[in-house]
């Protein structure tokens, strides 16, 4: 992959996961937070959580589909399935087990057991593997759905090579009507994953992808205006016609994917890009861990700053994602010496050096070893 494209993917990975975290900052109140008159913070909250946060995974899905084509060609179906089981299913199970243990400890200490799943075979299967419902570590449904998409990738590959238009239309139909089939928790994910595969199979070059992204960004302006109007007018999406809601949501997510991709190009040589690239190796650990921190850390912070609607709640809302990044960096370095823990909680990936000097020393050592190996 060209260096520029690789850097943009790394920027997108961290940026999308960071923005997604705003969705999971718990408001601490019963009822719908969108069923209120929209003040300044209400609009900010809506933009960061509903527009940017919920839509950020669409680009990650497209990127995953784009890369799986090469993995499928190189590794074959069986090896791809085994690889994705190690990097997706193992962390899905490990983090959910950790969350379940923490919920049990919290319940024993506080007497509050309402977040515990049903103690049954189906209840535990859902809690740990998200078979039919959200897991206890809710964001990890994405790993479950992504694994299913990878299992379906051979069929998608055949369809997109032979009948691309028909395959895309079938994916659109599944997005609108497939929620009750329980194949995926979010049927839209398969559509975005398939679009990523199509971009790779069709041999679409980087310039063409950028042109598509800019066109989608123009559409994003319209979709953002539609959703902001919905918020200001206090129209609840949950009470909309289901088909209309899905169509609007899918259009928002696909245009947001284009907007995020354009953003990676605009910011590639900026300080923001440098930060994203440096923190990208921690993105997976951050994705898996942040909901646990938000669940228990939010309990403490809301005691000091109140629930949604309090004048001080923005402190909780803006600080928790930043705290989560710091905890991910510290936490991943804390387990860096254990291959078992890295396998269970970070998909087997290693930990980047804390400082640039250390990274340079390690790169120099590796280069010398490679040179010595060639001489032998």
């Amino acid at each position: 992959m060209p260096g520029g494209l690789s850097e943009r993917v790394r920027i997108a990975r961290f940026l999308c996961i960071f923005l997604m975290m705003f969705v999971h900052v718990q408001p601490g109140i019963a009822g719908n937070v969108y069923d209120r008159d929209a003040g300044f913070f209400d609009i900010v909250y809506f933009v960061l959580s509903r527009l940017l946060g919920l839509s950020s995974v669409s680009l990650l899905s497209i990127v995953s589909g784009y890369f799986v084509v090469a993995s499928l060609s190189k590794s074959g179906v069986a090896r791809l399935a085994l690889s994705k089981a190690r990097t997706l299913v193992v962390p899905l199970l490990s983090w959910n087990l950790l969350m379940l243990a923490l919920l049990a400890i919290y319940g024993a200490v506080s007497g509050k057991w309402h977040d515990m799943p049903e103690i049954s075979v189906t209840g535990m299967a859902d809690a740990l593997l998200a078979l039919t419902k959200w897991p206890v570590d809710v964001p990890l449904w994405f790993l479950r759905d992504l694994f299913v998409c990878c299992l379906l990738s051979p069929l998608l590959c055949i369809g997109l090579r032979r009948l691309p238009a028909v395959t895309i239309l079938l994916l659109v139909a599944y997005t609108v009507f497939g929620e009750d089939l329980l194949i995926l928790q979010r049927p839209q994910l398969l559509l975005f994953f398939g679009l990523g595969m199509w971009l790779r199979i069709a041999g679409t070059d980087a310039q063409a992808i950028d042109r598509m992204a800019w066109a989608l960004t123009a559409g994003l302006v319209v979709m953002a205006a539609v959703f902001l109007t919905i918020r200001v007018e206090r129209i609840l999406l949950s009470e909309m016609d289901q088909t209309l809601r899905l169509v609007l949501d899918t259009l928002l997510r696909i245009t947001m994917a284009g907007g995020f991709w354009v953003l990676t190009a605009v910011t590639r040589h900026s300080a923001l890009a440098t930060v994203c690239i440096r923190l990208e190796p921690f993105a997976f650990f951050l994705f898996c861990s942040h909901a646990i921190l938000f669940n228990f850390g939010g309990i403490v912070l809301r005691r000091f700053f109140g629930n949604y609607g309090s004048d001080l709640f923005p402190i909780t809302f803006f600080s928790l994602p930043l705290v989560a990044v710091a905890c991910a960096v510290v936490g991943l370095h804390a387990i860096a010496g254990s291959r078992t823990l890295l396998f269970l909680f970070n998909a087997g990936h290693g930990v980047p050096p804390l400082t640039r000097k250390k990274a340079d020393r390690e790169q120099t050592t590796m280069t010398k070893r490679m040179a010595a190996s060639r001489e032998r």
Side-chain angles (χ1 to χ4, degrees):
M1 179 187 296
L5 187 59
S6 177
E7 287 180 356
R8 291 175 65 181
V9 169
R10 294 177 66 188
I11 294 168
R13 281 176 177 154
F14 178 78
L15 188 62
C16 289
I17 287 174
F18 180 78
L19 290 171
M20 179 214 60
M21 289 193 291
F22 286 102
V23 181
H24 303 124
V25 177
Q26 300 177 10
I29 61 173
N32 196 320
V33 298
Y34 303 137
D35 189 17
R36 302 161 47 96
D37 290 334
F40 176 74
F41 176 72
D42 297 288
I43 295 298
V44 172
Y45 180 88
F46 182 79
V47 169
L48 286 175
S49 60
R50 186 60 185 82
L51 297 190
L52 296 175
L54 276 181
S55 303
S56 61
V57 294
S58 58
L59 178 58
L60 298 180
S61 307
I62 292 171
V63 169
S64 297
Y66 185 88
F67 286 122
V68 83
V69 175
S71 298
L72 187 61
S73 175
K74 180 180 178 180
S75 304
V77 176
R79 289 182 62 187
L80 176 67
L82 181 60
S83 172
K84 295 305 179 182
R86 289 196 300 263
T87 58
L88 296 174
V89 178
V90 170
L92 169 67
L93 182 60
S94 301
W95 282 102
N96 280 319
L97 279 170
L98 176 60
M99 180 64 158
L100 188 63
L102 292 174
L103 287 174
I105 294 171
Y106 177 72
V109 172
S110 67
K112 298 177 181 179
W113 299 92
H114 56 276
D115 289 330
M116 285 290 290
E118 176 186 345
I119 307 302
S120 65
V121 174
T122 56
M124 288 295 103
D126 285 333
L128 300 178
L129 295 171
L131 292 187
T132 64
K133 297 178 182 177
W134 308 116
V136 286
D137 190 345
V138 175
L140 298 192
W141 66 265
F142 181 76
L143 300 185
R144 178 261 197 209
D145 278 9
L146 188 57
F147 178 66
V148 174
C149 288
C150 291
L151 293 182
L152 294 175
S153 62
L155 293 177
L156 287 174
C157 194
I158 294 172
L160 290 168
R161 289 185 188 280
R162 297 181 180 180
L163 298 168
V166 173
T167 303
I168 295 296
L169 287 174
L170 288 174
L171 292 176
V172 171
Y174 172 65
T175 296
V176 178
F177 303 109
E179 192 168 345
D180 295 332
L181 298 177
L182 300 179
I183 299 173
L184 299 179
Q185 298 288 351
R186 294 281 191 192
Q188 293 165 324
L189 184 65
L190 190 60
L191 171 62
F192 302 138
F193 187 85
L195 288 173
M197 292 185 66
W198 172 74
L199 289 173
R200 188 63 173 265
I201 290 171
T204 312
D205 59 34
Q207 291 75 21
I209 292 174
D210 282 342
R211 288 193 294 270
M212 293 179 189
W214 277 105
L216 288 172
T217 303
L220 175 60
V221 175
V222 177
M223 293 310 304
V226 169
F227 272 81
L228 284 172
T229 301
I230 288 173
R231 174 62 187 95
V232 171
E233 297 297 327
R234 295 173 57 181
I235 300 170
L236 298 181
L237 290 166
S238 59
E239 297 179 0
M240 277 187 178
D241 174 78
Q242 182 178 0
T243 301
L244 175 60
R245 175 178 60 80
L246 283 171
V247 169
L248 288 175
D249 191 57
T250 302
L251 289 174
L252 173 65
R253 291 174 188 250
I254 194 65
T255 54
M256 190 66 76
F260 276 126
W261 189 245
V262 167
L263 183 60
T264 64
V266 173
T267 64
R268 182 183 161 205
H269 299 291
S270 69
L272 174 61
T274 302
V275 171
C276 291
I277 291 172
R278 290 290 299 275
L279 291 174
E280 184 269 338
F282 302 93
F284 183 82
F285 195 87
L286 174 65
F287 170 76
C288 294
S289 64
H290 77 274
I292 298 177
L293 172 68
F294 286 11
N295 187 76
F296 297 103
I299 295 173
V300 177
L301 290 182
R302 287 194 302 272
R303 290 183 179 274
F304 291 97
F305 306 121
N307 297 329
Y308 186 94
S310 166
D311 290 340
L312 298 180
F313 178 77
I315 297 176
T316 299
F317 183 68
F318 292 114
S319 64
L320 274 177
L322 297 176
V323 172
V325 173
C327 289
V329 173
V330 173
L332 190 51
H333 278 287
I335 67 170
S338 171
R339 291 185 178 180
T340 300
L341 291 178
L342 289 174
F343 173 71
L344 293 174
F345 293 103
N346 200 44
H349 301 306
V351 184
L354 277 172
T355 64
R356 183 176 296 276
K357 288 183 179 180
K358 185 177 178 182
D360 292 340
R361 287 199 302 269
E362 292 186 359
Q363 182 64 41
T364 301
T365 301
M366 184 178 297
T367 302
K368 289 180 178 178
R369 288 176 179 174
M370 293 176 64
S373 177
R374 286 195 296 269
E375 290 175 0
R376 289 195 297 267

